[in-house]
Amino acid sequence: MIFDFLFPNRCLDCNQLIDKRDIVCELCLDKVNFSNHNYFDTNSLIEKASLQIPVENAYSLLIYEKESLAQKIIHQLKYNHREKIGKILANWVTQRVDLSKKKPDLLVTVPLHYKKLKQRGYNQLHLFSNQLSAYYQIPVHHTLLKRIKHSRAQAKKNQSERLKTKNAYQLTENINGKHILLIDDVYTTGNTISNIAWEILSNSENVKISILVMAMDI
């Protein structure tokens, strides 16, 4: 109560006081650039991802552009200790995506290297994916993949640096015969998702890959 009084929750865009469970006010919510993708149909994300990996389905909640409200939201989640934003983004997903048909078998999050996890204090995907797991009744696996190479945050890299994450991930157990829904925050070059997908596909049999991201950089 005292914390809420001293540090009231404000809209990320207009700075108006809002409920502590929200991140933007109702007026500014209209400024959020939702993708309007359909998870089961062709969309710009699946078209881009299919150039690198075999993809069953794909969905991006937001369109990520510089100086946009979507960028503010993601940056607050990742770099300003606003971990609970993940729950709000997950709720936005569940309002827009029905996974009842062709339901994935397992939700898998992109891991952080232990150094980055220690520095940040949390993986920004965990609350997000846990909320999705509870809603859709699909198990989530946070340790199926291990990050074995440490690098700077994607947002701080140039394009050539983003393409140098090959062999950065390692599969920790067998997942033959599963339909995996890979979960990440922002899809940029697709290099992270591609490397993870090929690590899974190269070390497993009869596996299908789908993608769900918080935002897609156009």
Side-chain angles (χ1 to χ4, degrees):
M1 292 292 290
I2 296 177
F3 182 87
D4 292 339
F5 177 76
L6 295 175
F7 303 98
N9 192 32
R10 295 182 180 275
C11 172
L12 291 181
D13 196 54
C14 71
N15 210 37
Q16 176 181 310
L17 288 173
I18 56 175
D19 188 279
K20 64 181 180 180
R21 294 166 293 183
D22 296 327
I23 51 177
V24 293
C25 67
E26 290 187 9
L27 289 176
C28 290
L29 184 60
D30 289 335
K31 299 180 185 179
V32 178
N33 194 1
F34 290 101
S35 69
N36 297 316
H37 285 171
N38 187 320
Y39 175 76
F40 291 107
D41 292 338
T42 298
N43 57 57
S44 55
L45 176 58
I46 197 169
E47 288 175 351
K48 288 182 69 173
S50 294
L51 296 175
Q52 297 174 298
I53 56 174
V55 182
E56 295 294 312
N57 304 292
Y59 178 80
S60 173
L61 175 66
L62 308 173
I63 298 298
Y64 187 93
E65 297 175 286
K66 288 184 178 179
E67 309 303 325
S68 68
L69 185 49
Q71 184 189 55
K72 288 182 184 178
I73 291 169
I74 299 296
H75 278 214
Q76 287 290 313
L77 169 65
K78 294 179 68 172
Y79 307 119
N80 206 32
H81 308 289
R82 298 283 299 274
E83 186 182 8
K84 290 184 179 179
I85 287 176
K87 281 189 173 183
I88 296 169
L89 294 178
N91 288 335
W92 287 356
V93 170
T94 59
Q95 292 165 14
R96 292 164 173 82
V97 179
D98 180 6
L99 292 179
S100 60
K101 55 180 181 178
K102 296 183 181 178
K103 194 173 181 179
D105 300 306
L106 189 66
L107 309 182
V108 174
T109 51
V110 172
L112 294 178
H113 190 274
Y114 75 91
K115 290 182 179 179
K116 189 173 290 184
L117 182 61
K118 183 178 180 180
Q119 180 185 36
R120 185 174 296 170
Y122 60 93
N123 183 319
Q124 70 275 9
L125 301 174
H126 285 185
L127 277 182
F128 176 75
S129 55
N130 289 347
Q131 192 83 349
L132 296 178
S133 174
Y135 181 85
Y136 292 118
Q137 294 296 293
I138 302 172
V140 60
H141 200 325
H142 295 309
T143 58
L144 180 67
L145 293 150
K146 181 180 180 181
R147 176 97 192 202
I148 56 177
K149 288 184 180 179
H150 180 56
S151 64
R152 293 191 299 159
Q154 286 285 85
K156 298 179 181 179
K157 297 178 184 178
N158 59 40
Q159 187 165 355
S160 63
E161 288 177 314
R162 290 176 180 178
L163 297 174
K164 294 180 181 178
T165 56
K166 188 175 181 180
N167 301 323
Y169 302 93
Q170 186 177 75
L171 195 65
T172 62
E173 62 184 78
N174 181 287
I175 49 164
N176 292 341
K178 299 289 186 181
H179 179 186
I180 305 299
L181 181 59
L182 291 179
I183 296 176
D184 202 2
D185 46 33
V186 181
Y187 188 100
T188 51
T189 63
N191 194 49
T192 297
I193 289 289
S194 175
N195 283 323
I196 286 175
W198 283 117
E199 171 66 16
I200 293 172
L201 292 168
S202 299
N203 294 283
S204 310
E205 296 180 359
N206 193 29
V207 170
K208 296 178 180 179
I209 301 289
S210 290
I211 300 169
L212 191 153
V213 294
M214 297 175 179
M216 176 182 175
D217 189 342
I218 60 171

